[in-house]
Amino acid sequence: MARAYDDTASFPAGDSLHEECGVTGIYAPEQDVARLAYFGLYALQHRGQESAGIAVGDGSSLVCYRQMGLISQIFDEERLAQLQGSVAVGHTRYSTSGSSLVLNAQPLVQRASFGEFALAHNGNLTNTEELRARLLPDTAFTADSDSEVLVQLLAQLSGPTLLERIRELLTLAKGAYSIAIATPSELYAFRDPWGVRPLCLGTYGDGWMIASESCALATVGATYVRELAPGEIVQINAAGVTSIESEQHEPAALCMFEYIYFARPDSVLSGKSIYMARHEMGRQLAREHPVDADVVMAIPDSAVPGGIGYATQSGLPYVEGLIKNRYIGRTFISPNQQMRSQGVQLKFNPVIENMRGKRVVVVDDSIVRGTTTPRIVALIREAGATEVHVRITSPPIVHPCYLGVDMATYDELIAANLTIEQIRVKIHADSLGYLSKEGLVAATGRGRENFCLGCLTGEYPNKPVATPDIIEACRE
Ligand code: AMP
């Protein structure tokens, strides 16, 4: 989901905020669907830590509870007991700077001529304003988000059923949207025609489950069946699952950053284990950027498979150099640069014995703004490392993301402004090596034509129409 971004100089109003989110959906009469949604969201907490919610349908109406905070802070036994029914959708939201409002929390519940529905959205639209212009002038908005535009559009389109309206929505909405919708008695899920964000389907006993990532299915004991195809709609009710292919066909554009950073390593994406893909990225990085060193370490958690891959390929021992305090959360949660910097120190403690007197290779998955890396290098040097060689399992990130990943603006992206050698100097590393685009794509086991590599190439499946403001802001 996305909401308006404070930094209006950087992105077009309304089309802006760049967030990852996690969505779940359960259709399982006779089961505790709210509890299943809760545990599913628990497994998707890495996709968003700002707010979360669950909506449950009991056959005749919907009840929704959403709040700011982590899943574990929002729900307790009492709250879950109030959410009884046979169908549920859940949402966990990611946010960076700007307003953190419960109004932006999801699922969003709306009444329409065909009945009530609750919607949970992961992704970012690129034509929000165009869609907003289609809405009735007196449409009452409660939050400033593209997700709410989708909700209002579904409520106002003329199709007789929700399914008809979703089909039409797929021809109208541009950008990234993986969505789960609950009505009082049915579950719907669909992916945008480009398939930018993931969404998968599983079985739970006689019922069905939808989740952003397969790790959520595994967590509740559901069995993974398959990913939804780009543009596919599934309708789940007492008759089972019906798959409806959209009329809208677009070139596939799965976000590569899901492989690099976002998805959990125990998830499977496009038939490939994220762990194994990252391990291979590390191996390929060692082939492309070998270095004479004593040990290899990784920045926990996302870079660990890549670090182990680098060590495996290079034959150097893999050590744990930094221990992460797991309860701090991702540093990006901190809303400003200063707090982000402090967050890094709060986040890691060095294992000095693994680094003292050693030439250390440190593997991370990405450098975005370049705030984290120099602090990591400093920590490693303070621990007594004699050399620090930084290796990154992604190519330089040189463009912002319009499709749901918080990627900063051109001004903030370090690799959009400095050469690799200048970055090396800035982060105080003895050497710096990035994985090539070709090496990255090869590690996924799939062809380049399947991916959105917008942050690496500037070629996006659908970019917002450039106004003079955007051109100025993006310095294109
Ligand atoms: P930066 O300090 O901006 O260079 O951030 C890079 C670090 O943040 C890396 O260690 C990544 O693991 C992590 N990271 C990269 N992209 C994101 C993102 N979109 N949201 C949160 N963390 C990220």
Side-chain angles (χ1 to χ4, degrees), residues 94 257 261-262 299 302 330-332 340 364-373 405-407 414:
Y94 177 99
F257 219 68
Y261 172 78
F262 254 108
I299 309 304
S302 41
R330 289 185 169 182
T331 52
F332 263 50
R340 241 179 239 136
D364 201 359
D365 53 81
S366 54
I367 301 178
V368 182
R369 294 171 176 85
T371 310
T372 310
T373 324
V405 176
D406 171 41
M407 280 292 190
I414 191 167

Side-chain angles (χ1 to χ4, degrees), residues 187-444:
L187 177 64
Y188 293 81
F190 54 99
R191 275 176 93 190
D192 61 74
W194 299 264
V196 179
R197 299 276 147 237
L199 200 62
C200 62
L201 172 72
T203 54
Y204 183 83
D206 295 334
W208 296 89
M209 183 164 174
I210 293 287
S212 294
E213 290 181 41
S214 63
C215 66
L217 303 181
T219 297
V220 305
T223 306
Y224 175 83
V225 175
R226 64 179 176 86
E227 251 157 48
L228 268 67
E232 180 186 1
I233 308 163
V234 295
Q235 178 185 24
I236 306 175
N237 53 29
V241 176
T242 312
S243 164
I244 300 105
E245 204 190 318
S246 119
E247 291 141 28
Q248 197 74 18
H249 295 284
E250 302 289 351
L254 175 63
C255 169
M256 184 56 100
F257 219 68
E258 294 281 349
Y259 280 94
I260 295 171
Y261 172 78
F262 254 108
R264 246 171 64 160
D266 52 336
S267 285
V268 173
L269 206 50
S270 289
K272 179 92 177 180
S273 143
I274 295 290
Y275 186 98
M276 293 318 293
R278 289 186 188 156
H279 190 269
E280 182 50 35
M281 288 173 201
R283 293 190 66 157
Q284 180 59 23
L285 187 57
R287 289 181 204 112
E288 294 180 12
H289 297 285
V291 60
D292 214 5
D294 300 309
V295 292
V296 179
M297 57 171 277
I299 309 304
D301 291 317
S302 41
V304 169
I308 295 174
Y310 192 101
T312 307
Q313 184 65 33
S314 61
L316 295 170
Y318 179 79
V319 297
E320 288 194 72
L322 296 174
I323 302 298
K324 186 174 175 182
N325 181 345
R326 294 188 194 281
Y327 305 100
I328 298 285
R330 289 185 169 182
T331 52
F332 263 50
I333 305 164
S334 310
N336 64 36
Q337 198 71 5
Q338 187 201 345
M339 288 175 77
R340 241 179 239 136
S341 312
Q342 286 169 348
V344 175
Q345 280 149 26
L346 282 173
K347 211 169 158 182
F348 300 114
N349 271 334
V351 182
I352 293 168
E353 292 70 15
N354 278 338
M355 298 184 281
R356 191 166 39 209
K358 308 246 168 71
R359 294 169 300 168
V360 174
V361 177
V362 57
V363 177
D364 201 359
D365 53 81
S366 54
I367 301 178
V368 182
R369 294 171 176 85
T371 310
T372 310
T373 324
R375 296 187 173 269
I376 298 282
V377 173
L379 266 177
I380 297 171
R381 288 201 194 279
E382 278 161 28
T386 54
E387 291 175 18
V388 183
H389 302 276
V390 176
R391 295 292 179 272
I392 304 295
T393 57
S394 67
I397 296 184
V398 284
H399 300 275
C401 176
Y402 300 97
L403 295 164
V405 176
D406 171 41
M407 280 292 190
T409 61
Y410 279 104
D411 281 345
E412 292 172 320
L413 287 171
I414 191 167
N417 295 288
L418 301 181
T419 64
I420 293 179
E421 174 54 16
Q422 286 170 329
I423 298 172
R424 183 196 69 74
V425 171
K426 191 145 192 188
I427 64 176
H428 305 297
D430 291 284
S431 72
L432 170 64
Y434 285 92
L435 183 61
S436 66
K437 289 187 206 80
E438 296 70 28
L440 172 67
V441 172
T444 68

Side-chain angles (χ1 to χ4, degrees), residues 36 96 335:
L36 288 166
T96 52

